[in-house]
Amino acid sequence: MNAAHPALAAADRMAQDATTARPAEMPDLQAVWTLLETVTDPEIPVITIRELGILRDVRLRNGEIEVVITPTYSGCPAMGQIGDDVRAVLQAHGMSARVVTQLAPAWTTDWMTESGRNRLREYGIAPPHTRAACNVVQFTTRKIAEHVEPAVACPRCGSENTTETSHFGSTACKALYRCLDCMEPFDLFKPH
């Protein structure tokens, strides 16, 4: 102890107390993941941000919970609401978090879970095909490979006799289709 200077003596006592004090309780990251399973997409409320593939990571950074999300496309207007919803769910359970938007790697529909694809279909939105199912346009010195889109099945009747009526649907990440059998319009979540 430094008895000659009271401020130094107090600092010495605080340092000693800090080394003998119990560390603050660390949050259970699995519990955070479980809570975030309830956060739905504001534009498609039947699918969670984890099923959509937006929720990328939950980690501790300098003792603080950090939730990493990736937008479905640059400029997605729902990202602010998603960040607010993440913070609200955690605050309701006595936790605080910093929400970080990560742009790279860019989000892809391949990150959607199978349960998320099923929920979209049940809601009336055709889920995207995986990129592996789409033929990629390839440029060669001899010819251009033909780009063939997989058939889009109607989420209502299952028919593949469908047609795109507009490349832009109710949101920029969807296209508008119509089934030529049941004549119902529906959105396709665009694969990318």
Side-chain angles (χ1 to χ4, degrees):
M1 287 284 205
N2 193 339
H5 196 279
L8 292 176
D12 287 343
R13 276 193 308 277
M14 287 175 60
Q16 186 178 15
D17 290 346
T19 59
T20 58
R22 291 182 334 165
E25 186 176 319
M26 298 301 282
D28 177 7
L29 293 183
Q30 186 56 48
V32 174
W33 278 102
T34 300
L35 289 171
L36 295 179
E37 289 283 346
T38 65
V39 178
T40 58
D41 180 76
E43 295 174 341
I44 311 169
V46 297
I47 188 171
T48 68
I49 61 172
R50 188 164 188 190
E51 290 171 323
L52 195 52
I54 292 172
L55 179 59
R56 301 302 304 143
D57 197 10
V58 175
R59 58 190 176 216
L60 286 177
R61 181 80 36 115
N62 299 325
E64 181 182 27
I65 299 171
E66 190 173 81
V67 177
V68 181
I69 56 177
T70 297
T72 55
Y73 69 95
S74 209
C76 175
M79 292 309 289
Q81 183 64 53
I82 291 169
D84 290 346
D85 292 348
V86 163
R87 283 185 287 276
V89 163
L90 295 177
Q91 284 174 352
H93 291 86
M95 297 181 225
S96 64
R98 189 167 80 94
V99 178
V100 177
T101 301
Q102 179 179 308
L103 301 178
W107 178 85
T108 169
T109 50
D110 288 347
W111 292 353
M112 292 176 122
T113 66
E114 195 57 38
S115 65
R117 291 171 189 278
N118 290 335
R119 286 179 191 239
L120 284 176
R121 189 177 297 106
E122 291 165 3
Y123 190 62
I125 299 173
H129 295 287
T130 60
R131 288 188 299 168
C134 301
N135 291 332
V136 177
V137 176
Q138 296 179 356
F139 294 93
T140 65
T141 55
R142 295 188 181 161
K143 67 176 187 171
I144 298 174
E146 197 173 305
H147 179 68
V148 178
E149 289 289 329
V152 175
C154 173
R156 297 181 193 342
C157 72
S159 171
E160 291 185 352
N161 187 19
T162 61
T163 186
E164 183 180 276
T165 58
S166 175
H167 192 62
F168 296 97
S170 59
T171 61
C173 57
K174 293 182 233 142
L176 185 60
Y177 272 70
R178 188 176 84 189
C179 177
L180 300 176
D181 287 339
C182 72
M183 302 305 287
E184 288 292 322
F186 64 92
D187 278 333
L188 163 72
F189 204 106
K190 295 178 196 173
H192 58 280

